[in-house]
Amino acid sequence: MRCKKTIDARSYPHDMLERLRRDAVKRVEEGESPEVVAAGLGINRRTIYRWLQAYQSGGSDALAAKPIPGAPTKLSAQQMQELAQLLREHTPLDFDFEVALWTLAIIGELIQCRFGVSLSESALGRMMKRRLGFSLQRSLYRAWQQDAELVAHWREHEYPRIAARAKREGALVMFADESGIRADPHASTTWAPKAQTPVVEATGARYGFNMLSAISAKGHLRFMTIEGRLNGEVFCEFLRRLITGMDRKIFLVVDGHPAHTSKLTRQFVEDNAERLELFFLPGYAPQLNPDEFVWGHVKARVAKATARTKDELKRTVYRTLHRLQKLPRVVASFFHAPTCRYASASA
């Protein structure tokens, strides 16, 4: 069952939020349940109870939009609403800018071109946060080759069929992925005195290795590290280890890597058809694979280490993966990420 995501009401424009408050209170007064009204508006139920309490103690005036301190904005409420819609639904590329990310400088240019209003970056930053409900966030990148229809079909039709069949046949659905780890310095943070940038000694050598893993929504984790590149022979060895000791058939979901579709792999799967079957994600859609979070988990911890040799790096990775194996709830939580929640039903 999917939980409906609630909206932070503070992200609405000032005047729209007032209308929302008044409409919600009116509906409750007319007999609707506060929970039903909150669900219909997509807001947290605690929010609507705060509005009702304010109305009961202060009357209709308590629902009015409070004046925003500071100098009035140069943009009207209608212009700000239009700006917010443009930023949500477009990228700078749609307006002939040469970059794909919204920065204050580019937003300022857009405002100048569209509304003939000039704003300083500091004023624009305040407006974005306080009036429009935007914040500076790290972007998630998606390949332009990704087919949105295929992704939707996988989530809504293809995977539910795989999960239903696995349930009928008593199979275990697992997702597999591969990644590389390097000893290059990683970006990380630490506490230090102001204006004194901390220095961490790390190796100047470049070395690394590749890793494979497979996880299930029940919290299973199997992994293997390899030297060199991934090919059909290496992947078959991983599959051999994966099915060893398993008491039921595995439905393994993978991407379209050449090693997964090689002649050797196809022959191995055919020879072990009673114990293993492969299924393939849509192309260029890594966000559908919860096993991606295994590598995020590992790399976040390796980034805090200072491995001086390749053996030290391996020990750190092995230690992190073995610890993760003993934390099935953490592994299962990867399936509850917004892009992977569709696969949590396989538990």
Side-chain angles (χ1 to χ4, degrees), residues 196-258:
Q196 296 182 30
T197 303
V199 176
V200 178
E201 291 187 356
T203 180
R206 293 185 178 182
Y207 46 77
F209 53 92
N210 292 318
M211 310 171 290
L212 296 93
S213 70
I215 63 173
S216 78
K218 291 183 177 294
H220 299 89
L221 167 63
R222 306 290 289 273
F223 69 88
M224 184 178 88
T225 62
I226 60 173
E227 299 287 346
R229 67 186 185 87
L230 176 64
N231 54 30
E233 184 178 356
V234 171
F235 186 59
C236 286
E237 175 60 24
F238 176 70
L239 295 178
R240 188 176 294 108
R241 297 186 187 189
L242 182 63
I243 62 177
T244 299
M246 284 290 186
D247 58 357
R248 51 179 167 156
K249 185 175 182 178
I250 294 176
F251 283 7
L252 188 64
V253 181
V254 295
D255 59 25
H257 191 287

Side-chain angles (χ1 to χ4, degrees), residues 72-145:
T73 180
K74 295 181 179 179
L75 295 180
S76 67
Q78 182 177 351
Q79 288 173 327
M80 284 196 290
Q81 188 172 356
E82 181 180 345
L83 175 64
Q85 184 175 359
L86 291 174
L87 299 180
R88 282 194 298 266
E89 299 179 358
H90 298 274
T91 73
L93 297 173
D94 297 328
F95 301 99
D96 296 326
F97 291 100
E98 295 181 354
V99 296
L101 302 179
W102 288 115
T103 65
L104 290 179
I106 291 178
I107 295 173
E109 287 188 46
L110 178 65
I111 292 173
Q112 178 69 55
C113 293
R114 197 161 192 99
F115 306 118
V117 173
S118 178
L119 292 172
S120 68
E121 289 195 13
S122 58
L124 182 54
R126 289 192 298 271
M127 184 186 77
M128 294 291 292
K129 293 178 182 179
R130 299 177 185 176
R131 298 175 184 266
L132 299 185
F134 281 68
S135 63
L136 191 62
Q137 302 180 41
R138 187 181 297 275
S139 300
L140 295 175
Y141 284 82
R142 297 284 182 260
W144 62 266
Q145 298 97 327

Side-chain angles (χ1 to χ4, degrees), residues 31-53:
E32 291 190 59
S33 163
E35 287 83 1
V36 171
V37 175
L41 295 175
I43 59 176
N44 192 294
R45 64 176 186 173
R46 291 194 297 271
T47 300
I48 195 168
Y49 278 114
R50 285 199 303 271
W51 294 349
L52 290 170
Q53 184 179 10

